[in-house]
Amino acid sequence: MWTSGRMSNAKNLFGLGVSLYFWGLMDLTTTVLSGSARPLTEGQEDNLSDKLHQRMKRSWVWNQFFVLEEYTGTDPLYVGKLHSDMDRGDGSIKYILSGEGAGIVFTIDDTTGDIHAIQRLDREERSQYTLRAQALDRRTGRPMEPESEFIIKIQDINDNEPKFLDGPYIASVPEMSPVGTSIIQVTATDADDPTYGNSARVVYSILQGQPYFSVDSRTGLIRTALMNMDREAKEYYEVIIQAKDMGGQLGGLAGTTTVNITLSDVNDNPPRFPQKHYQMSVLESAPISSTVGRVVAKDLDEGINAEMKYSLVDGDGLDVFDINTDPNYQVGIITVRKPLSFESKKSYTLKVEGANPHLEMRFLNLGPFRDTTTVHISVEDVDEPPVFEPSIYFVEVPEDVEIGTTIQIISAKDPDVTNNSIRYSIDRSSDPGRFFYVDITSGALMTARPLDREDISWHNITVLAMELNNPSQVGSASVTVKVLDVNDNAPEFARFYEAFVCENAKAGQLIQTVSAIDRDDPQEGQHFYYSLAPEAANNPNFTLRDNQDNTAWILTRRSGFRQHEQSTFYLPILISDNGHPVLSSTGTLTVHVCSCDEEGMVMSCNAEAYVLPVSLSRGALIAILACIFVLLVLVLLILSMRRQRKQPYIIDEEENIHENIVRYDDEGGGEEDTEAFDIAAMWNPREAQLVVKNRQDMLPEIESLSRYVPQACVMDNNVHNYVLAKLYEADMDLWAPPFDSLQTYMFEGNGSVAESLSSLQSVTTDSDQSYDYLTDWGPRFKKLAEMYGATDSSGALW
C-alpha cells in the first residue's frame, strides 16, 4: 500500500502571495498483496485475523503530513491523500479516519482518501495531531489492511507578536548614579516556533525615556544613560520598551511595555534654616520641660537622609534652655531647663544648629551638611506668689515656753517688680490643735497653746504667704518644730505594786522589787532615787534599799508579823529623778500579811472572820442593813438636788466691780458687749495675769486670732501675750458661758489702721477743717457729726 499527501496552493497567505506546497512523505514497502480487491471469505477472514495479531510486515506505513496554520481560505484546506494498492478505483475500498480531531478538525473522503482540514488551525494552541487510517471492504466492512497511525504537523507562520508577561515594570535607581548603572531587565516572550525561521527572534529597543536610559537590544537590560540625574529636579520617569520579532526586520511583529523608574534619594542636599532669626517669648512661671517654641531646618532629601539633629551651640541660655528633636516632623523643640525669673533676666539668646546625622562620603564635597540660626527668647513677667527665704524652717522650742512667745520669724517676699505687701497665715490642716499663731504682717511665729513634748514632740506646720492685692497668689513654707524636753514630769511607779509578807518572815527578808518610769527624756538618761517618805522613814516594819540601777528593794525590818494584829501595811515610797529641777512623787506599796508554810509558800492572806455575838439575831442584822441603805439613798438624793439647783454667778468681792460694767454714751462699733472682759487689763496689759476662773455652761467656740489682730507688729508684745493667754483661757475653761464674745482692742495713732483720730493735729484752725464726711459713716456716728456741726447734704434721716 502506498500513501501520497500533497497540499493545495495556499493563496493569499497574509497578503504575501506566496504559494507553498507540502507533500506528505510516505515510506513505501515492497510487499505487494496478490489478488484483486474482493471480499474475503469466512476462512480468509479468520486467517487474516490471526495474521493481524501476529507481528507481520505491513504493506503501508504512514509518516507525517504538514499543513500550514492560520489558513484563511473559504474552501477546506487540502492536507493529503491516502491510497491503498488494493484500491482498483472501483469504489470497493472505504477509507476510515480516526484519532485526534478526526471528523471535527480533519475529514477524509472515504472513496478517494483525500484528507482536508475543515477548521482554522493554530500551531500555538496545538502543534500536531495523531490520527489512524484504515482501508475496509465497502461491502463486508472487513479490513483490507491493518490500521496504521500517522501525524499531521501544523506548520508555523509569524502570527504572534512578542509579549511582556511581567509588565508593566516598576524599578528604582539611586539618584546621581553613574552612567551604565543597571536598573532592571525586561523579557518578552514570542509564542511562535523558535526553531523555524526568525518568527521568535526578539530584538529590544527604547521608544520613550531617552536620553536618560538605554536598553540592551539582545538581553533587555535597562541602564542609566545620563549622569547626575537629580531626584529633587525630577523623580519619576516613564520608559517604554519595544520588543520586535523577525530580528527587528521590516514586517516583524512588535510588543511594548512600560517601565516606571523612580530615582531613590541620597543625601546630596545639606539642611538649611529658612529663618536666620527667631523671636520667642515664655512666661517666667513656665514649668520645667515646658515648650518655648520650635525651629525647623529644611532638607530637600527625604527619609533617613532628611533626618535632623538639633543642638544648642552658643548663647547665654545654654544652662536655662534645652532643645530636643521631634523624630516625626524633624523639628527642634526648645524647652525650659531651669526655672525662669523675669526679675533676674528678661531675655536670652541661643544659637541653634541643625545637622544631618547620616552622611555619604561621596557627597561630602556638597556640604557642609549643617546650618545654624539665632533664637531670641523674651521672658514675660507674671504675678508670682510670694517666695519664702528659706522655704524650709527648723525650729527647736522647749516645751515650757510661754504662750505668745515668738519662736521664729517667717519671711517671704513678692518676687515681682511691684513688690506687693504680704500677709501671713497658718494652714490649719497642718496645725489642727492650733498650737501656733503667726502674725499676719510680720510673719512672727508664736505659740498659742502650751506645748507638751510627751504628747506631741514634733509639729509640721505650713505657713502661707498671700499677696495683699491678689489673694489668689499664695506661697507656702514648711516649718518643722521640735519640742525640746524639760523636766516637767515626776517619776512614778511603772505599775501598781502589791506585796505580801509571811507571818514567819525574818528581819532583812526581801519582799518586793520596785521600779519607776518617767515620761521625760533627759539627754543624760534616766536615773531615779528611791527612799521612804519622811512620814515612814522611821517605821519599825520595813526598810528600803536603793540599788542605784533605777530599782529598789523593800526589806523587812523585823519579824513576828501577825494577821490578827494588822493584816495590811501601806508603805509610802518617795521617787526622785535627776532632772533640773528635781521632781519627785510618792508611790504607795501595799503589803499584805499572810500565813505561810515552813517553806515560805503563801497559804492565806485573809484575816479570820469576826464572830457575831450569839445574842444578835438575824432579823436585827437585816434591819440594821436596811437602815444603812435608806440613809445612803437620802444622802445621794440631797446631793443630786443641790447640784441641780441654779447657782448665780458670784463675783469675787476683791474684784473691782465697776471695771466689768462699762457704760458709753458715744456711739460706735464694738461697744455692744463689754461685760465679759476686764477692760482695765487692756488699759494696762502689763498688770494682766493668767487667772483661770471656773464658769458654768459650755466651752465657747472662739476662732483664731489671726483674722482679728492684723496689726500686731505695731502693738506692744505684752498685748499679744495677753490676748493669746485669754484665748487659751477661754478654750480651756469648760464652764465658760456660750454668750461670751471676743473683742479686739487696738491703738489709734501713727502706724495703726485708723491712724490718728485726733483733730488737734489735723489742721491749724477749726475753720479749715470740714467734718461733713462724718455724715457718710452711718447712724453710729450721727451724734459725733452733730457735735462737729456737720450737715447731711442729702437731707436723709438716719
Side-chain angles (χ1 to χ4, degrees):
M1 175 181 181
W2 57 276
T3 301
S4 63
R6 63 186 178 184
M7 297 192 61
S8 62
N9 294 334
K11 298 178 180 181
N12 301 323
L13 178 61
F14 298 103
L16 298 179
V18 180
S19 300
L20 300 177
Y21 299 92
F22 295 92
W23 295 89
L25 300 179
M26 180 182 69
D27 185 8
L28 300 178
T29 63
T30 60
T31 305
V32 179
L33 297 178
S34 62
S36 60
R38 60 181 180 272
L40 300 179
T41 64
E42 183 176 356
Q44 291 175 338
E45 290 179 358
D46 294 339
N47 187 25
L48 180 59
S49 176
D50 295 337
K51 290 180 180 180
L52 291 177
H53 288 85
Q54 296 176 0
R55 182 177 178 84
M56 60 178 296
K57 195 171 184 179
R58 295 178 178 175
S59 61
W60 60 335
V61 177
W62 309 101
N63 285 332
Q64 56 187 0
F65 292 97
F66 291 89
V67 62
L68 196 65
E69 67 170 335
E70 302 294 345
Y71 172 69
T72 58
T74 57
D75 297 330
L77 177 64
Y78 179 76
V79 177
K81 182 179 182 63
L82 298 180
H83 182 75
S84 175
D85 57 358
M86 294 182 180
D87 188 358
R88 304 302 181 199
D90 54 1
S92 61
I93 301 299
K94 180 179 181 181
Y95 297 96
I96 297 176
L97 187 65
S98 64
E100 297 174 348
I104 300 175
V105 179
F106 302 98
T107 61
I108 188 171
D109 188 327
D110 60 354
T111 301
T112 64
D114 293 333
I115 300 175
H116 291 83
I118 61 175
Q119 289 190 3
R120 186 174 181 176
L121 301 177
D122 189 355
R123 189 200 68 83
E124 287 72 35
E125 292 183 1
R126 188 161 190 162
S127 61
Q128 66 181 18
Y129 295 86
T130 301
L131 297 150
R132 292 181 299 276
Q134 192 172 24
L136 302 177
D137 189 307
R138 187 178 296 275
R139 290 177 299 169
T140 62
R142 294 176 181 268
M144 301 296 294
E145 295 181 11
E147 186 179 53
S148 184
E149 183 177 270
F150 67 98
I151 297 173
I152 299 177
K153 287 190 174 183
I154 310 302
Q155 186 67 42
D156 183 51
I157 64 173
N158 189 20
D159 61 339
N160 290 280
E161 73 277 3
K163 294 182 179 179
F164 294 91
L165 302 181
D166 297 329
Y169 296 86
I170 298 176
S172 65
V173 62
E175 62 174 330
M176 312 298 290
S177 296
V179 176
T181 302
S182 299
I183 302 175
I184 190 174
Q185 184 176 11
V186 297
T187 302
T189 302
D190 196 322
D192 294 328
D193 188 0
T195 62
Y196 179 76
N198 294 328
S199 298
R201 182 186 173 191
V202 178
V203 175
Y204 299 94
S205 62
I206 184 169
L207 300 182
Q208 177 180 314
Q210 294 176 330
Y212 306 104
F213 304 98
S214 64
V215 63
D216 189 291
S217 62
R218 185 176 59 85
T219 62
L221 180 62
I222 300 176
R223 296 184 176 92
T224 58
L226 189 66
M227 64 183 303
N228 297 332
M229 287 192 295
D230 192 359
R231 183 196 66 85
E232 289 73 30
K234 185 176 182 181
E235 182 176 3
Y236 301 102
Y237 294 85
E238 185 178 78
V239 179
I240 298 178
I241 302 297
Q242 175 183 268
K244 189 174 184 181
D245 59 11
M246 299 297 292
Q249 297 178 3
L250 184 65
L253 302 180
T256 60
T257 187
T258 301
V259 182
N260 295 311
I261 300 177
T262 303
L263 295 184
S264 59
D265 185 60
V266 297
N267 193 7
D268 59 340
N269 292 278
R272 291 292 179 263
F273 283 100
Q275 295 179 233
K276 288 302 180 181
H277 298 279
Y278 287 85
Q279 185 68 39
M280 302 178 183
S281 63
V282 60
L283 298 177
E284 63 173 333
S285 60
I288 302 298
S289 300
S290 61
T291 300
V292 178
R294 291 173 170 82
V295 297
V296 58
K298 299 295 184 180
D299 193 326
L300 297 178
D301 298 322
E302 64 181 10
I304 192 174
N305 299 313
E307 288 186 3
M308 204 72 59
K309 181 176 178 58
Y310 296 91
S311 60
L312 302 178
V313 295
D314 197 7
D316 57 357
L318 298 180
D319 58 338
V320 181
F321 299 95
D322 201 358
I323 188 168
N324 301 305
T325 303
D326 186 340
N328 297 324
Y329 300 98
Q330 302 301 322
V331 299
I333 303 175
I334 301 177
T335 58
V336 179
R337 186 176 181 181
K338 288 185 178 180
L340 303 173
S341 176
F342 173 81
E343 292 72 25
S344 300
K345 191 173 179 61
K346 298 180 176 59
S347 64
Y348 295 87
T349 300
L350 300 174
K351 188 175 183 180
V352 180
E353 180 185 80
N356 287 143
H358 306 286
L359 302 178
E360 294 191 26
M361 301 301 297
R362 59 193 181 106
F363 298 120
L364 290 181
N365 61 322
L366 302 177
F369 287 83
R370 61 185 67 245
D371 195 17
T372 59
T373 186
T374 303
V375 179
H376 297 281
I377 301 177
S378 301
V379 180
E380 297 183 357
D381 187 27
V382 297
D383 192 3
E384 299 176 278
V387 178
F388 285 88
E389 297 179 357
S391 60
I392 299 176
Y393 292 83
F394 177 76
V395 184
E396 292 182 340
V397 180
E399 60 179 326
D400 60 347
V401 65
E402 295 182 0
I403 296 177
T405 302
T406 300
I407 62 174
Q408 180 68 45
I409 301 297
I410 310 299
S411 176
K413 68 175 184 179
D414 184 7
D416 299 322
V417 179
T418 56
N419 194 16
N420 294 320
S421 299
I422 306 298
R423 293 295 180 262
Y424 300 91
S425 63
I426 294 179
D427 184 358
R428 284 307 171 189
S429 62
S430 64
D431 184 27
R434 298 179 180 265
F435 289 95
F436 300 95
Y437 161 77
V438 65
D439 184 80
I440 193 170
T441 55
S442 67
L445 183 63
M446 296 173 283
T447 56
R449 295 183 59 184
L451 304 179
D452 188 357
R453 187 202 67 85
E454 290 72 33
D455 186 16
I456 303 177
S457 59
W458 292 85
H459 296 269
N460 293 316
I461 306 169
T462 301
V463 178
L464 305 177
M466 178 190 307
E467 289 186 11
L468 183 62
N469 297 334
N470 188 2
S472 63
Q473 297 296 334
V474 180
S476 63
S478 177
V479 182
T480 301
V481 181
K482 180 182 180 181
V483 182
L484 301 178
D485 183 56
V486 297
N487 193 27
D488 59 345
N489 291 278
E492 56 187 12
F493 278 144
R495 61 181 179 85
F496 174 73
Y497 286 103
E498 190 175 22
F500 69 91
V501 61
C502 295
E503 290 181 323
N504 56 0
K506 298 179 180 181
Q509 182 176 339
L510 175 64
I511 63 171
Q512 183 66 48
T513 300
V514 296
S515 62
I517 59 173
D518 193 334
R519 296 181 62 192
D520 294 324
D521 186 18
Q523 295 181 354
E524 59 274 9
Q526 299 280 6
H527 188 73
F528 304 126
Y529 303 95
Y530 299 89
S531 62
L532 294 177
E535 63 271 18
N538 298 323
N539 79 92
N541 302 313
F542 303 97
T543 185
L544 181 144
R545 178 185 299 175
D546 193 341
N547 297 325
Q548 299 300 318
D549 61 353
N550 291 340
T551 64
W553 287 352
I554 309 301
L555 307 173
T556 58
R557 182 172 285 182
R558 66 177 177 85
S559 60
F561 292 93
R562 297 291 181 269
Q563 271 189 340
H564 65 274
E565 293 178 359
Q566 186 173 352
S567 62
T568 304
F569 293 91
Y570 298 98
L571 186 63
I573 300 175
L574 182 65
I575 311 170
S576 303
D577 60 16
N578 61 334
H580 301 285
V582 177
L583 298 181
S584 62
S585 66
T586 301
T588 301
L589 173 64
T590 303
V591 182
H592 299 284
V593 179
C594 304
S595 59
C596 305
D597 56 13
E598 295 180 356
E599 297 179 356
M601 301 300 294
V602 176
M603 298 176 59
S604 175
C605 292
N606 295 326
E608 296 181 357
Y610 177 74
V611 180
L612 294 175
V614 180
S615 60
L616 188 59
S617 63
R618 180 174 296 178
L621 181 60
I622 294 175
I624 293 173
L625 294 176
C627 292
I628 295 174
F629 177 75
V630 171
L631 289 175
L632 289 175
V633 171
L634 290 175
V635 170
L636 293 176
L637 183 60
I638 292 173
L639 291 177
S640 176
M641 293 178 62
R642 292 188 62 183
R643 287 193 175 185
Q644 294 179 358
R645 183 180 305 169
K646 185 176 182 180
Q647 299 271 346
Y649 179 72
I650 301 176
I651 302 176
D652 191 355
E653 295 180 357
E654 296 180 0
E655 293 183 351
N656 193 347
I657 298 177
H658 75 275
E659 291 182 347
N660 282 334
I661 303 176
V662 182
R663 302 298 183 186
Y664 291 96
D665 292 334
D666 295 337
E667 294 185 4
E671 293 86 10
E672 287 84 354
D673 185 7
T674 58
E675 297 181 356
F677 296 91
D678 189 356
I679 304 303
M682 299 303 300
W683 295 335
N684 190 5
R686 293 178 177 82
E687 298 179 358
Q689 298 180 357
L690 182 62
V691 180
V692 180
K693 302 181 179 63
N694 292 332
R695 298 180 180 178
Q696 297 180 356
D697 292 336
M698 59 187 294
L699 178 69
E701 296 181 358
I702 301 179
E703 298 183 359
S704 172
L705 289 179
S706 60
R707 68 176 66 181
Y708 297 109
V709 192
Q711 275 7 15
C713 60
V714 300
M715 298 169 54
D716 196 325
N717 189 48
N718 290 331
V719 176
H720 256 307
N721 297 348
Y722 171 74
V723 173
L724 293 175
K726 283 296 183 181
L727 176 62
Y728 175 70
E729 175 187 341
D731 289 341
M732 295 295 103
D733 190 357
L734 300 178
W735 306 104
F739 50 82
D740 280 0
S741 62
L742 180 64
Q743 302 294 331
T744 302
Y745 296 89
M746 298 301 300
F747 295 104
E748 62 89 10
N750 293 332
S752 67
V753 176
E755 298 184 349
S756 178
L757 299 180
S758 174
S759 61
L760 298 179
Q761 299 178 355
S762 301
V763 292
T764 57
T765 62
D766 293 341
S767 61
D768 296 334
Q769 177 67 33
S770 175
Y771 300 97
D772 293 340
Y773 61 87
L774 295 176
T775 59
D776 299 332
W777 288 8
R780 294 187 177 186
F781 295 91
K782 179 180 180 181
K783 182 176 292 186
L784 185 62
E786 293 176 353
M787 292 174 58
Y788 282 88
T791 59
D792 188 359
S793 59
S794 62
L797 298 178
W798 297 91

